[in-house]
């Protein structure tokens, strides 16, 4: 497993991170019947060198399941990141949310304490705000509470998760020096964060956690015109409400020219593109299924993409889309 360094501490972080959103059961099916398989998948990932776990208060029982897996893990403690729950009742996608509604005074501390209980830990390595908007500025009671948690040793690092595709919105907060990490969307279709956010994060020693690296599975090449998602699946409506599915599939087909010469699969191509980007600390992918773990880990064992191919993917295949409110299942990603 390849590693990078977490900028503010220098500790090694696996370039592939275990995204625990899938442990919420948001990809359909009976969550209770899947818990043992999810724990097995997480333990397998840890055993293969994945040492970064990203979860959230909003992800159903995800924190509790991660905690159960950690209680069974006898190896080196992984780097555990979670996120503060947003109480505004809004997705926060496209429209700024009032910080007083999202995180009323005292809420961030209370949410963190619940996270620690669910995870069975005395501290988390990274606490992120699941919602932050530049309209909040860089100071406020929310930042005071984050800093207090650091001072008390309940969290080691603090950061934010950008609520939609506009990664540049985080630049003022990154430049303030007050946060240690930013989580944002990065994939072949939307590499916009590579233009401004990543260079600024590198300059200010801020970690970058890339999410949606496979565009909710669309970049794996398994999506077809006939694929049907259940209404309890997070992807229900994802590939149809924004653009016609046929348009999306054509954009995916254009990537097939790089397989197998430069990657063993479309998913491997997408994953390697993200982890090779300068400034990406780790790329998280939902790996609640062991098969996903095996495939993602194998992808990173392949040779790197040539620099000219990486640049070609970055600039030729952009398909940037920012979502409005749709019938997409769930409120967070």
């Amino acid at each position: 497993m390849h590693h990078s360094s977490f900028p503010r501490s220098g500790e090694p972080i696996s370039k592939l991170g275990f995204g625990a959103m899938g442990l919420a059961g948001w990809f359909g099916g009976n969550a209770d019947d899947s818990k043992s398989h999810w724990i097995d998948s997480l333990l397998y990932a840890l055993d293969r060198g994945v040492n970064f776990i990203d979860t959230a208060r909003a992800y159903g029982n995800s924190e509790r399941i991660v905690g159960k897996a950690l209680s069974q893990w006898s190896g080196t403690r992984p780097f555990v990141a979670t996120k503060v729950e947003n109480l505004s009742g809004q997705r926060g996608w496209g429209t700024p949310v009032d910080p007083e509604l999202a995180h009323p005074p005292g809420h961030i501390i209370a949410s963190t304490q619940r996270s620690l209980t669910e995870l069975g830990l005395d501290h988390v390595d990274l606490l992120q705000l699941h919602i932050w908007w530049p309209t909040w500025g860089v100071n406020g009671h929310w930042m005071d509470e984050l800093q207090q948690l650091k001072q008390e040793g309940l969290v080691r690092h603090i950061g934010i998760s950008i609520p939609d595709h506009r990664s540049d919105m985080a630049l003022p907060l990154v430049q303030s020096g007050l946060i240690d990490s930013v989580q944002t969307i990065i994939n072949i279709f939307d590499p916009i964060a590579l233009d401004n956010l990543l260079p600024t994060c590198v300059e200010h020693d801020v970690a970058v956690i890339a999410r949606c690296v496979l565009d909710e599975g669309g970049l794996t090449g398994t999506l077809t015109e006939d694929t049907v998602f259940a209404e309890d699946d997070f992807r229900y409506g994802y590939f149809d409400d924004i653009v016609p599915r046929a348009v999306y599939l054509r954009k995916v087909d254009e990537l097939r020219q790089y397989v197998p010469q430069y990657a063993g699969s479309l998913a491997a191509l997408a994953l390697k593109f993200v982890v090779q980007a300068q400034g990406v600390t780790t790329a998280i992918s939902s790996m609640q299924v062991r098969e996903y773990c095996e495939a993602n880990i194998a992808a990173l064992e392949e040779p790197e993409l040539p620099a000219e191919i990486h640049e070609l993917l970055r600039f030729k295949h952009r398909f940037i889309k920012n979502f409005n409110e749709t019938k997409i299942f769930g409120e967070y990603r």
Side-chain angles (χ1 to χ4, degrees):
M1 177 59 61
H2 298 286
H3 292 78
S4 62
S5 295
F6 195 86
R8 295 284 171 87
S9 66
E11 61 197 294
I13 300 295
S14 57
K15 294 291 286 186
L16 175 64
F18 189 99
M21 188 184 80
L23 307 188
W26 288 1
F27 290 99
N30 188 320
D32 291 333
D33 292 342
S34 303
K35 286 180 181 177
S36 62
H37 302 295
W38 292 341
I39 291 174
D40 175 72
S41 183
L42 177 49
L43 292 174
Y44 173 80
L46 292 173
D47 189 57
R48 291 298 305 274
V50 174
N51 73 345
F52 185 95
I53 302 171
D54 178 78
T55 183
R57 285 293 309 139
Y59 296 166
N61 290 321
S62 177
E63 287 181 325
R64 186 176 305 171
I65 295 169
V66 169
K68 288 183 178 180
L70 292 177
S71 70
Q72 299 176 32
W73 173 245
S74 59
T76 303
R77 184 189 188 280
F79 190 106
V80 179
T82 192
K83 307 182 195 78
V84 177
E85 184 179 9
N86 161 36
L87 296 182
S88 71
Q90 304 177 50
R91 182 196 308 277
W93 197 291
T95 304
V97 173
D98 185 340
E100 296 288 336
L101 296 177
H103 307 303
H107 168 65
I108 292 174
I109 292 175
S111 179
T112 303
Q113 291 170 338
R114 289 194 296 272
S115 291
L116 293 174
T117 298
E118 294 290 282
L119 290 164
L121 301 174
D122 59 4
H123 72 275
V124 291
D125 299 289
L126 172 63
L127 180 69
Q128 306 157 95
L129 295 186
H130 217 149
I131 290 293
W132 177 86
W133 284 89
T135 52
W136 299 8
V138 300
N139 294 299
H141 72 274
W142 51 274
M143 178 58 75
D144 294 340
E145 290 186 33
L146 290 172
Q147 296 293 344
Q148 178 183 335
L149 288 165
K150 282 187 72 172
Q151 294 168 5
E152 294 177 352
L154 296 178
V155 304
R156 296 177 55 225
H157 304 286
I158 58 174
I160 62 165
S161 180
I162 297 175
D164 63 19
H165 290 246
R166 293 170 291 182
S167 56
D168 288 5
M169 71 169 65
L171 291 177
L173 191 53
V174 170
Q175 293 167 332
S176 75
L178 294 172
I179 61 170
D180 306 304
S181 74
V182 173
Q183 183 172 147
T184 191
I185 294 169
I186 305 177
N187 57 53
I188 292 175
F189 284 165
D190 191 348
I192 199 72
L194 277 59
D195 297 344
N196 291 310
L197 179 64
L198 266 65
T200 304
C201 286
V202 170
E203 179 184 357
H204 292 274
D205 292 326
V206 173
V208 174
I209 303 163
R211 73 172 189 271
C212 299
V213 297
L214 300 178
D215 200 11
E216 308 302 355
L219 286 170
T220 64
T222 59
L223 181 72
T224 70
E225 285 280 9
D226 300 323
T227 302
V228 177
F229 297 105
E231 290 191 20
D232 64 344
D233 191 305
F234 181 80
R235 297 161 293 182
Y236 179 74
Y238 187 90
F239 298 102
D240 302 289
D241 289 355
I242 309 305
V243 296
R245 186 179 296 201
V247 175
Y248 188 93
L249 292 175
R250 284 200 299 272
K251 295 295 293 184
V252 172
D253 284 342
E254 291 174 6
L255 297 171
R256 297 185 188 278
Q257 63 184 293
Y258 303 104
V259 178
Q261 183 175 2
Y262 299 109
S265 65
L266 283 175
L269 181 76
L271 187 57
K272 292 199 294 183
F273 171 79
V274 176
V275 300
Q276 286 181 220
Q278 184 179 10
V280 169
T281 306
T282 188
I284 56 175
S285 178
S286 293
M287 295 193 290
Q288 73 278 4
V289 177
R290 179 163 171 167
E291 179 184 355
Y292 300 165
C293 285
E294 294 171 346
N296 289 345
I297 292 170
L300 296 194
E301 293 173 348
E302 294 181 5
E304 290 191 350
L305 298 173
E308 64 273 16
I309 298 301
H310 193 276
E311 287 294 288
L312 194 61
L313 291 169
R314 175 179 173 183
F315 293 108
K316 183 179 179 180
H317 296 277
R318 294 189 178 199
F319 185 39
I320 300 169
K321 49 199 181 300
N322 206 54
F323 296 102
N324 298 315
E325 292 293 338
T326 70
K327 59 184 179 181
I328 297 173
F329 178 78
E331 293 189 354
Y332 301 89
R333 61 189 59 249

